[in-house]
Amino acid sequence: MPTKKAVVSGKTAAPKVSARPFAYRNRGLHCDGVSMAALAEEHGTPLYVYSAGQIAQRFRFFDEAFAERAHTICYAVKANSSLAILRMLAKLGAGFDIVSGGELERVRRAHKPALGRVVFSGVGKQVWEIDAALEAGILLFNVESEAEVYLLAERAEALGRVARFALRVNPDVFAETHPYISTGLSEHKFGIDIKAARGIYRRAAKLKWLDAAGVSVHIGSQIRKVDPFAAALARVTSLIAELRRDGHDIRYVDAGGGLGIDYGVDALDEAGAFDAEHQVRKYAAALGKGLAGEGAHLLLEPGRFIVAQAGALLTRVLYVKKNGAKTFVITDAGMNDLIRPALYHAHHEIVPVKEPGAARRGEVDVVGPVCESGDFFARDREMSAVKPGELVALLDAGAYGMSQASNYNTRARAAEVLVDGDEVRLVRRRETMRDLMAQEIL
Ligand SMILES: *Cc1c(COP(=O)(O)O)cnc(C)c1O
């Protein structure tokens, strides 16, 4: 693996854009200007490491790709809900896509003025969550059932606040991705059958405290081909035309999130690098095609695309053991820290922090300490030999990593650091024994 220059956020003139902010320098893996070994030394492991520069860069790629039309990028909070990252994105002008009252509170604490740029999605909104969002004055409710329309009208009236809403329609478009993260088919729990939408808008128009301001769609996550986005949006666009003819004042079209990244290939091999800027341009062109001439304000809800490749999970090898023909590399991070391999059979590149050079390679399973056979990060993975005590990094762990972490096996959740150029900020401290027991009553 050849030595690479790290990409330092905005501070170098180098036009070269890597897919990831992680690269070898002086024989050790760095995140931008900071040595991963030094981070482990100072903050311990497992540790989530994020590049602020990379997150900002991805956000800008998105923003620039849609520069020609009125748009707001509502970053999907569930991908990575770190307050520090939310604040950073809010200051870059991001809005937010939330799915709970808890996420609403995160936006409030991260950057209160951003509440006016929040869209609220989810099939199971509760009364208290609707009330909190109405009181916060969010931009738009993405309503996922007719019953929710009536509940929203009732709460809006009770609070004396008009609720702007969009129906999240289900366009019945197939997008190739893992079945757990596909959402755009009528067999899924999400959204409202697009054929039923017009009738619901008609009935909703009779309700005084509702403002049918938009139409929304989200077909799933980690979608690599852009055609399904165009197809879904084309259906939404013809619905909008019908709704306008019916007299509804539709001002927003929400295209959802779901643009995928490249988890595969040799992570640090620049030749195979994933070109994020090109990918988002292709995506923007596909949405433009789907929208035809539709000029409504475009809302976008990217999550993974913005944060996934900016993050790595840094972990230390505890043991290397052989069972029969297999070699297991046992790390101090487990499925409670990063559940994606267990939950979605997701692939994460795993690289040693010490640059391997011509080190022996072999096939190993990389596993955590959790008492579940599903607690693995990689199976039969060909990688450079690592020894107990050495560090490895699981790449592309910035999205759906820490936000899905748990305390299973009574394990403390990891700490998180945000690297900005060559500066480091601890943005979440490691949980302690006290934290782990704090809610319990004896
Ligand atoms: C999860 C989700 C997103 C973000 O999906 P990504 O694949 O991370 O871009 C956007 N919108 C809705 C409604 C979601 O549920």
Side-chain angles (χ1 to χ4, degrees):
M1 201 180 283
T3 303
K4 301 291 158 11
K5 277 274 173 289
V7 172
V8 180
S9 60
K11 292 183 180 166
T12 56
K16 189 107 193 158
V17 171
S18 290
R20 302 178 175 91
F22 301 95
Y24 290 111
R25 278 207 311 198
N26 308 324
R27 316 223 61 80
L29 192 68
H30 282 62
C31 174
D32 293 333
V34 176
S35 144
M36 296 285 273
L39 287 173
E41 200 57 48
E42 170 142 12
H43 299 284
T45 52
L47 180 71
Y48 272 101
V49 180
Y50 309 117
S51 160
Q54 170 94 354
I55 295 169
Q57 183 184 61
R58 286 291 170 94
F59 181 82
R60 285 196 204 100
F61 284 166
F62 235 94
D63 211 21
E64 282 157 17
F66 290 96
E68 279 171 24
R69 58 175 79 236
H71 71 278
T72 304
I73 299 168
C74 298
Y75 165 73
V77 172
K78 74 177 190 289
N80 186 319
S81 28
S82 160
L83 290 174
I85 289 174
L86 300 185
R87 177 168 293 176
M88 190 184 116
L89 286 169
K91 288 186 174 166
L92 292 172
F96 296 96
D97 170 49
I98 62 162
V99 292
S100 72
E103 289 188 351
L104 179 71
E105 188 59 25
R106 283 188 175 275
V107 173
R108 186 196 313 282
R109 293 193 189 198
H111 192 68
K112 207 166 164 203
L115 285 170
R117 303 194 295 266
V118 163
V119 299
F120 191 177
S121 307
V123 296
K125 300 180 193 76
Q126 300 181 41
V127 168
W128 73 267
E129 295 177 308
I130 292 172
D131 286 3
L134 283 168
E135 272 159 6
I138 68 163
L139 178 64
L140 197 66
F141 287 85
N142 281 335
V143 170
E144 305 219 14
S145 64
E146 186 161 7
E148 190 189 326
V149 171
Y150 298 122
L151 178 60
L152 182 61
E154 188 187 301
R155 297 317 305 160
E157 177 168 16
L159 299 179
R161 287 175 180 264
V162 170
R164 275 177 301 274
F165 79 96
L167 289 191
R168 172 174 173 183
V169 296
N170 190 317
D172 203 22
V173 162
F174 177 70
E176 196 179 322
T177 183
H178 189 278
Y180 286 8
I181 50 178
S182 174
T183 62
L185 283 178
S186 39
E187 71 197 53
H188 297 128
K189 71 176 177 182
F190 299 98
I192 290 169
D193 183 355
I194 193 160
K195 294 189 283 298
R198 210 170 152 193
I200 299 175
Y201 277 101
R202 185 173 356 97
R203 293 190 283 284
K206 303 202 177 85
L207 304 170
K208 197 169 140 215
W209 294 89
L210 292 188
D211 170 9
V215 180
S216 131
V217 71
H218 171 73
I219 55 173
S221 196
Q222 181 52 15
I223 296 166
R224 295 293 312 276
K225 298 207 178 92
V226 298
D227 300 346
F229 294 112
L233 214 49
R235 291 182 189 181
V236 166
T237 301
S238 36
L239 173 63
I240 291 177
E242 289 175 356
L243 293 174
R244 290 230 177 84
R245 281 199 294 276
D246 291 346
H248 304 285
D249 180 20
I250 304 293
R251 289 101 69 204
Y252 296 98
V253 53
D254 184 340
L259 183 60
I261 58 133
D262 187 356
Y263 285 95
V265 299
D266 187 344
L268 300 174
D269 173 9
E270 209 124 330
F274 169 66
D275 186 343
E277 191 174 17
H278 176 71
Q279 183 65 8
V280 76
R281 287 225 181 99
K282 254 173 54 186
Y283 172 71
L287 294 195
K289 208 168 105 200
L291 285 167
E294 175 53 52
H297 188 106
L298 180 63
L299 301 171
L300 301 151
E301 303 172 350
R304 185 191 313 271
F305 192 85
I306 305 287
V307 290
Q309 299 196 285
L313 176 57
L314 180 58
T315 176
R316 199 176 288 279
V317 176
L318 299 173
Y319 301 96
V320 177
K321 85 170 189 183
K322 284 198 190 323
N323 270 359
K326 284 190 89 93
T327 302
F328 292 93
V329 172
I330 303 168
T331 61
D332 66 1
M335 68 188 292
N336 71 298
D337 300 298
L338 179 67
I339 203 173
R340 299 190 67 261
L343 189 58
Y344 314 110
H345 287 117
H347 175 97
H348 284 271
E349 284 291 313
I350 304 176
V351 297
V353 165
K354 197 172 84 188
E355 190 169 19
R360 194 165 43 84
R361 289 173 75 85
E363 233 174 50
V364 298
D365 280 21
V366 181
V367 303
V370 170
C371 296
E372 293 281 344
S373 291
D375 181 26
F376 60 86
F377 293 130
R379 281 179 162 161
D380 303 318
R381 179 76 60 87
E382 152 107 12
M383 59 181 274
S384 309
V386 285
K387 295 198 211 64
E390 291 182 348
L391 296 161
V392 296
L394 283 84
L395 302 181
D396 304 330
Y400 306 104
M402 186 61 177
S403 64
Q404 293 193 21
S406 78
N407 294 121
Y408 187 39
N409 278 206
T410 307
R411 285 165 50 83
R413 274 177 294 180
E416 295 175 286
V417 294
L418 187 60
V419 170
D420 191 357
D422 45 23
E423 277 159 37
V424 183
R425 201 151 59 84
L426 179 68
V427 293
R428 181 184 165 115
R429 64 166 173 77
R430 188 173 303 285
E431 284 176 345
T432 62
M433 280 302 153
R434 182 191 284 259
D435 294 328
L436 285 172
M437 311 291 157
Q439 324 304 331
E440 291 185 45
I441 300 155
L442 261 185

